């Protein structure tokens, strides 16, 4: 038997940087080791956390003995409605006038890709998508594989470990009209740096003046501040200001539904008639990618959002997760001071969400890994979710050692 | 191009107050040029069915299995697997990009057979996908990116409607080879061989492993053998679509025979699998995509590129359905139960085919309905013409697609008599 080969020219792809961190972590035998690369929430014992409202929703669903028939191409209707309401608020004029369409997607990535494909096919006046610098690593291949061109606008200021507001306004004011601009709605990934409300207002005005198409990525609603309305403020403000946005939502983090792949993609249109046209084209786009989305996670999310007791429990639990992250940030800074560090660590507290751009340099990161078995990505980003009251002291000690 | 259009929307109360002029919302429009897409033909059938008030109405457009009461069927082994999984209180952490390893392994073993040389040598890679469509699309994207020697994908004529946009949206060109013979309602073997013999080298050829959709017409083993030889001679890249393993004949090894034969003959195939029908996991979206390579080293390279391709589409696949399928495939008692249940579904379909033909004879039909029994799987190309289909819908409330395709899954022992009566009425 001769085994012919079609794939001789296929190269081995570059290793995944974050995966490399986790693999090195697994091999490390140091009992004090810490994995701060993990992009998933951990409880104060360092364990994955399945929300109790999720368990309850699952029990409710199981007791109904539902069938497993295909969902519609655009997903579970009840889920889509609740998903849009969560983001836009129940009194949203957009929802009342039915001038938006929300489809269920394969979590945040699936939502972004559908949006990217939709732009590529229908936003023919511009090929450029402007990402903040830096942005989530996967944004680039998502838009590129969909046929768009990637550009960037200034965002993070390494000098302050904060928002480069002047730089952002300057760059945004020069973006060619009709380009797509990606905004992280809250808890910017990977920096944790978010604009303040008054800064969002100025950004909105410049973006409107430049006639840019706004694409919001909201992967952390509720998970950032602990308050779902506060985290959605920027999205709602932009809508009030007349921007007809694209919006990606994920329930991976705020409902801990990571592997169930639950998300939504919304297009805000001029009116209900346009929303119908857009919906028909979204379905035509989705059908040859995966036909219809997975049911399980959407049933869970929908049950939680539309069952009052479960929804209240969820709001408490998501606040609990956000509060623990905030507390770890505070404890880290307190412990760094106790260690005697004279550096300004205020950014650790000012930044928000799962990630923190520590400001550590590559050499310092390497020492942390080699000498202390504390693992993070080379850019100095840590997942605060990997910090516990049990290890925050060790982390502070280690960071102080490499920065004093 | 007039791109932005401002639409004034009045909000709130007191529209007479002058200050409201400032507060009027102007909703910009980016999508003025977006056309309403054509209505989905099959959806149209279902919607017309729903509106029909005739108590004898039948929906033969449905692409999902129904039991003998016409109800959706969740397999027992699936319920048991779900209970087992729920008891374990597993977390919901992300799966790897390529999916659940135990699932992918079992998925490949199911298709290839557990003793397959390909699996033993580690020279294939299987990734978990979003059911059959997701698998085909990952494959189409992979071929588009890495199979640079050809852009052409040859589909059988006819093929599943969604194959065309899947490959087209992935950047490939669609062509066709002769397959269905409307004169015999069977396989146009000569026509297929003739056209395949002319396909340019290194083109991709899609083959339905079993239970061809939409015709139900499958090649016989000796015909598959000739096709394999010719395809090897033409040096074509084979892409098998196997959405019905077990569901076609009731025997999972028999339904996978063509796939296994091609591999034995040295074809390094691409393979899409779906568990939507054979495990009834439709909405859970469970499938696999396999690339058979030259050796394990090549399989590793291909795996790395599949992950790079998948990550910006959906990052990692949904866990629930894969956990169910994996539990069933890897738990001996559940696996046995599954084989019995899938055979049960296949047997009911086969029985309905036989009952339809015997009822047609009882009605006095003199047409040759042998093809209804010879065809296999969920669908049957009746040979009915569009005018006859229209009469079935209008006069008898029996709904099917215009091409005369019926879903045998929608036939029950209670309504097969009515169906035969109606078909006879429009064909006598």
């Amino acid at each position: 038997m001769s085994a012919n080969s079609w794939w001789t020219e296929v190269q081995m792809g570059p290793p995944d940087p974050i995966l490399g961190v986790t693999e090195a972590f697994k091999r490390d035998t140091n009992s004090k080791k810490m994995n701060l690369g993990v992009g998933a929430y951990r409880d104060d014992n360092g364990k994955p956390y399945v929300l109790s409202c999720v368990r309850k929703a699952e029990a409710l669903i199981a007791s109904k003995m539902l069938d497993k028939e295909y969902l519609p191409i655009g997903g579970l209707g009840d889920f889509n409605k609740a998903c849009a309401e969560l983001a836009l608020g129940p009194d949203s004029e957009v929802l009342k006038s039915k001038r938006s369409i929300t489809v269920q997607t394969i979590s945040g990535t699936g939502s972004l890709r559908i949006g990217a494909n939709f732009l590529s096919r229908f936003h023919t006046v511009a090929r450029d998508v402007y990402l903040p610098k830096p942005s989530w690593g996967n944004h680039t291949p998502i838009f590129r594989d969909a046929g768009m061109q990637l550009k960037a606008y200034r965002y993070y200021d390494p000098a302050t470990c904060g928002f480069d507001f002047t730089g952002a306004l300057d760059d945004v004011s020069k973006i060619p009209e009709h380009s797509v601009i990606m905004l992280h709605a809250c808890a910017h990934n990977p920096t944790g740096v978010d604009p303040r409300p008054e800064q969002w207002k100025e950004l909105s005005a410049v973006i409107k003046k430049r006639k840019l198409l706004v694409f919001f990525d909201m992967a952390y609603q509720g998970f950032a501040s602990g308050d779902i309305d506060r985290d959605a403020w920027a999205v709602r403000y932009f809508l009030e200001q007349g921007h007809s946005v694209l919006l990606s939502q994920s329930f991976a983090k705020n409902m801990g539904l990571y592997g169930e792949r639950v998300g939504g993609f919304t297009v805000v249109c001029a009116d209900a008639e346009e929303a119908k046209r857009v919906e028909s084209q979204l379905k035509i786009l989705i059908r040859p990618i995966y036909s219809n989305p997975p049911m399980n996670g959407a049933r869970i999310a929908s049950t939680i959002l539309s069952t009052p007791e479960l929804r209240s429990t969820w709001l408490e639990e998501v606040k609990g997760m956000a509060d623990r992250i905030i507390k770890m940030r505070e404890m880290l800074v307190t412990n760094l001071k106790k260690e005697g560090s004279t550096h300004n660590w205020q950014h650790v507290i000012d930044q928000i969400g799962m990630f923190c751009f520590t400001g550590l340099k590559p050499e310092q990161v390497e020492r942390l890994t080699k000498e202390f078995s504390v693992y993070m990505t080379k850019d100095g980003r840590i997942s605060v979710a990997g910090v516990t009251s049990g290890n925050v002291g060790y982390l502070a000690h280690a960071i102080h050692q490499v920065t004093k």
Side-chain angles (χ1 to χ4, degrees), chain A:
Chain A
M1 247 182 307
S2 69
N4 54 31
S5 168
W6 297 103
W7 314 116
T8 312
E9 308 302 323
V10 172
Q11 303 296 315
M12 180 66 84
D16 183 286
I18 296 180
L19 208 72
V21 169
T22 300
E23 272 160 18
F25 168 81
K26 284 187 188 159
R27 286 192 297 265
D28 193 325
T29 50
N30 184 347
S31 56
K32 287 179 173 275
K33 67 182 182 178
M34 290 176 69
N35 186 357
L36 300 183
V38 67
Y41 180 79
R42 294 284 176 266
D43 64 16
D44 204 46
N45 297 305
K47 300 270 172 279
Y49 172 56
V50 178
L51 279 64
S52 71
C53 61
V54 167
R55 288 295 185 216
K56 288 186 177 138
E58 287 185 306
L60 272 177
I61 291 161
S63 67
K64 290 183 186 172
M65 287 296 169
L66 300 168
D67 65 38
K68 293 187 183 297
E69 295 296 288
Y70 290 125
L71 288 180
I73 299 171
L76 188 61
D78 293 337
F79 168 77
N80 294 335
K81 187 161 187 285
C83 177
E85 270 174 17
L86 179 67
L88 273 43
D91 298 320
S92 164
E93 164 273 322
V94 165
L95 295 178
K96 290 196 164 113
S97 59
K98 299 192 192 313
R99 66 182 181 93
S100 65
I101 172 63
T102 299
V103 290
Q104 178 193 338
T105 56
I106 301 171
S107 207
T109 302
S111 175
L112 290 161
R113 182 56 177 267
I114 295 297
N117 281 146
F118 185 77
L119 286 168
S120 188
R121 183 171 283 182
F122 294 106
H123 188 61
T124 41
V125 291
R127 298 285 81 194
D128 293 337
V129 176
Y130 283 76
L131 300 179
K133 208 181 332 184
S135 193
W136 181 44
N138 208 18
H139 278 147
T140 295
I142 287 170
F143 284 101
R144 191 189 57 209
D145 285 6
M148 304 299 283
Q149 304 263 41
L150 274 308
K151 298 226 161 48
Y153 59 93
R154 267 174 292 167
Y155 189 84
Y156 177 72
D157 184 350
T160 60
C161 295
F163 183 35
D164 180 5
F165 184 43
T166 314
L169 282 181
D170 188 39
D171 282 358
V172 174
S173 69
K174 294 171 179 148
I175 295 179
E177 290 202 350
H178 308 320
S179 303
V180 180
I181 182 167
M182 166 119 311
L183 304 171
H184 295 221
C186 60
H188 180 272
N189 180 2
T191 68
V193 169
D194 284 353
R196 289 193 305 272
E198 56 273 25
Q199 295 172 324
W200 273 125
K201 288 178 176 176
E202 283 201 56
L203 278 168
S204 166
V206 173
I207 288 167
K208 200 196 289 194
K209 199 157 158 219
R210 296 304 303 151
K211 297 197 173 64
L212 307 180
L213 171 45
V214 172
F215 196 150
F216 267 111
D217 183 355
M218 185 156 70
Y220 298 97
Q221 187 187 6
F223 193 89
S225 71
D227 179 329
I228 51 151
D229 296 309
R230 188 165 156 179
D231 289 347
W233 182 84
V235 171
R236 297 174 189 182
Y237 178 78
F238 270 65
L239 287 172
E240 280 165 32
Q241 295 303 303
H243 296 272
S244 287
V245 310
L246 304 177
L247 169 65
S248 284
Q249 290 168 264
S250 167
F251 290 86
K253 284 88 174 169
N254 63 8
M255 278 194 186
L257 291 175
Y258 304 95
E260 299 278 359
R261 317 309 290 128
V262 195
F265 175 64
T266 297
V267 183
V268 178
C269 302
D271 52 42
E273 187 271 339
E274 183 165 278
K276 284 282 159 212
R277 284 185 279 115
V278 166
E279 178 183 21
S280 74
Q281 294 295 344
L282 282 171
K283 284 155 71 172
I284 286 170
L285 200 143
I286 289 170
R287 172 90 164 124
I289 305 178
Y290 53 82
S291 278
N292 45 76
M295 64 187 357
N296 196 248
R299 280 175 167 171
I300 294 172
S302 179
T303 301
I304 290 170
L305 292 172
S306 23
T307 311
E309 321 86 67
L310 292 185
R311 194 187 174 106
S312 313
T313 304
W314 173 57
L315 292 176
E316 279 172 27
E317 290 189 285
V318 78
K319 184 174 192 314
M321 290 192 285
D323 285 351
R324 195 184 87 70
I325 301 270
I326 289 165
K327 182 157 188 215
M328 290 305 105
R329 290 176 178 277
E330 290 164 358
M331 283 181 76
L332 179 55
V333 174
T334 308
N335 276 271
L336 280 162
K337 289 179 177 157
K338 265 200 286 185
E339 287 282 331
S341 179
T342 52
H343 292 289
N344 179 2
W345 296 105
Q346 185 58 33
H347 56 281
V348 172
I349 291 175
D350 291 343
Q351 289 170 10
I352 191 169
M354 194 178 289
F355 299 111
C356 166
F357 247 33
T358 54
L360 291 166
K361 300 181 183 6
E363 322 78 71
Q364 296 168 325
V365 171
E366 188 154 345
R367 283 190 62 197
L368 278 175
T369 303
K370 287 197 152 62
E371 297 175 33
F372 297 93
S373 297
V374 174
Y375 292 82
M376 64 186 69
T377 43
K378 275 200 303 267
D379 54 9
R381 182 194 85 162
I382 61 170
S383 170
V384 186
V387 183
T388 68
S389 23
N391 65 25
V392 66
Y394 178 71
L395 176 61
H397 175 76
I399 290 177
H400 177 56
Q401 292 311 305
V402 308
T403 57
K404 66 185 180 186

